[in-house]
């Protein structure tokens, strides 16, 4: 999973990052809301871990902003605030869960798995796109009842485009989607994946916006 960690205390962020990476997650750690907001606009994450007291603002206002922008990524608040009112405020603003500091690293890991499973259930429905029926939960694509096989990387690229709907997705966001596989991304890798996806799914399904990125053709 790709995890966005927003936490200004290195003494907390470092061990948490190491613990999650040891569990084969990819963690991107930022210490300010400003950096995190740019990251979340250009990359896809499976879960966000959000501290509330950050040097450039309050995590709760970040939470409200990203939910107002219809970002559905699960968000878990990490905070020393243990007042019930803060917890309710966070959940009302769209957080999925709440972990009180100091926390046990395994507990955070367990909470991540729980919110992601819940979120996967919510989006398990099949998406219909032209003559394709796409099931996000089991990563399958069918045309007229026939299974179209996509490689893991092709699926990674396709899924980012699907989730962004008609928004232009920069090439860099697609590259980060396949960085998770651990190897170097060659300079023309995205073009190659896009061309294979077009061959498999329909040649005008993915539109190239020169210098900007790609969208799915509605
Ligand atoms: Ca803090």
């Amino acid at each position: 999973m790709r995890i966005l960690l927003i936490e200004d205390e290195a003494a907390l962020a470092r061990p948490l990052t190491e613990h999650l990476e040891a569990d084969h997650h990819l963690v991107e750690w930022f210490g300010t809301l400003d950096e995190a907001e740019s990251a979340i606009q250009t990359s896809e994450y499976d879960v966000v871990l959000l501290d509330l007291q950050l040097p450039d603002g309050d995590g709760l206002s970040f939470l409200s902003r990203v939910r107002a922008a219809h970002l559905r990524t699960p968000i878990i608040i990490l905070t020393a605030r243990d007042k019930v009112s803060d917890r309710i405020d966070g959940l009302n603003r769209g957080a999925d869960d709440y972990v009180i500091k100091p926390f046990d690293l395994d507990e955070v890991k367990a909470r991540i798995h729980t919110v992601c499973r819940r979120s996967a259930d919510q989006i398990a429905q099949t998406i219909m796109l032209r003559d394709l029926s796409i099931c996000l939960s089991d990563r399958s694509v069918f045309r007229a009842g026939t299974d179209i096989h996509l490689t893991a990387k092709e699926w990674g690229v396709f899924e980012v485009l699907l989730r962004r709907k008609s928004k232009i997705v920069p090439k860099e966001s697609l590259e980060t989607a396949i960085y998770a596989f651990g190897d170097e991304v060659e300079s023309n890798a995205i073009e190659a994946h896009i061309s294979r996806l077009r061959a498999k799914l329909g040649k005008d399904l993915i539109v190239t916006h020169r210098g900007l990125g790609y969208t799915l053709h509605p």
Side-chain angles (χ1 to χ4, degrees):
M1 268 189 283
R2 285 174 62 83
I3 299 172
L4 175 62
L5 170 62
I6 312 170
E7 167 64 70
D8 59 323
E9 281 169 73
L12 281 176
R14 257 193 218 109
L16 183 55
T17 301
E18 281 165 17
H19 195 72
L20 295 172
E21 285 180 344
D23 201 30
H24 309 293
H25 297 300
L26 201 79
V27 181
E28 285 181 33
W29 165 36
F30 296 102
T32 64
L33 291 176
D34 197 36
E35 292 169 298
E37 285 204 61
S38 343
I40 211 162
Q41 279 161 19
T42 50
S43 301
E44 290 288 324
Y45 297 95
D46 298 297
V47 66
V48 177
L49 303 177
L50 174 67
D51 177 31
L52 292 187
Q53 284 162 311
L54 290 146
D56 58 342
D58 190 325
L60 288 175
S61 58
F62 170 87
L63 181 59
S64 301
R65 282 196 298 280
V66 298
R67 289 298 186 233
H70 305 292
L71 183 93
R72 296 173 59 187
T73 311
I75 298 178
I76 301 175
I77 290 176
L78 309 173
T79 183
R81 297 180 193 172
D82 55 357
K83 283 193 304 203
V84 175
S85 60
D86 282 334
R87 207 172 315 175
I88 293 172
D89 196 10
L91 296 173
N92 281 341
R93 291 180 195 227
D96 295 83
D97 205 350
Y98 213 98
V99 184
I100 306 293
K101 295 174 186 175
F103 44 72
D104 178 78
L105 294 174
D106 282 326
E107 189 195 348
V108 178
K109 205 163 79 182
R111 300 284 186 101
I112 290 172
H113 285 291
T114 308
V115 297
C116 289
R117 210 176 309 128
R118 219 189 290 149
S119 140
D121 289 345
Q122 282 165 4
I123 51 173
Q125 83 278 13
T126 300
I127 294 176
M128 302 302 295
L129 184 70
R130 297 182 172 190
D131 59 346
L132 304 171
S133 99
I134 301 144
C135 182
L136 291 173
S137 58
D138 65 5
R139 306 185 149 204
S140 56
V141 184
F142 289 88
R143 179 186 285 125
T146 309
D147 189 0
I148 302 173
H149 176 74
L150 299 185
T151 66
K153 288 181 184 177
E154 286 163 5
W155 174 267
V157 169
F158 184 49
E159 190 181 23
V160 174
L161 292 169
L162 268 177
R163 289 184 189 275
R164 285 297 173 103
K165 303 209 174 82
S166 51
K167 281 197 208 145
I168 296 180
V169 182
K171 186 178 159 189
E172 299 73 49
S173 301
L174 298 176
E175 282 171 349
T176 46
I178 59 172
Y179 273 132
F181 291 92
D183 37 55
E184 282 291 300
V185 177
E186 312 248 334
S187 62
N188 62 346
I190 296 303
E191 286 81 355
H193 290 308
I194 296 280
S195 113
R196 278 195 294 275
L197 284 169
R198 282 179 176 140
K200 290 179 179 180
L201 305 177
K203 66 179 191 309
D204 57 353
L205 184 70
I206 300 169
V207 182
T208 305
H209 302 268
R210 266 184 183 285
L212 296 173
Y214 301 91
T215 48
L216 282 185
H217 197 282

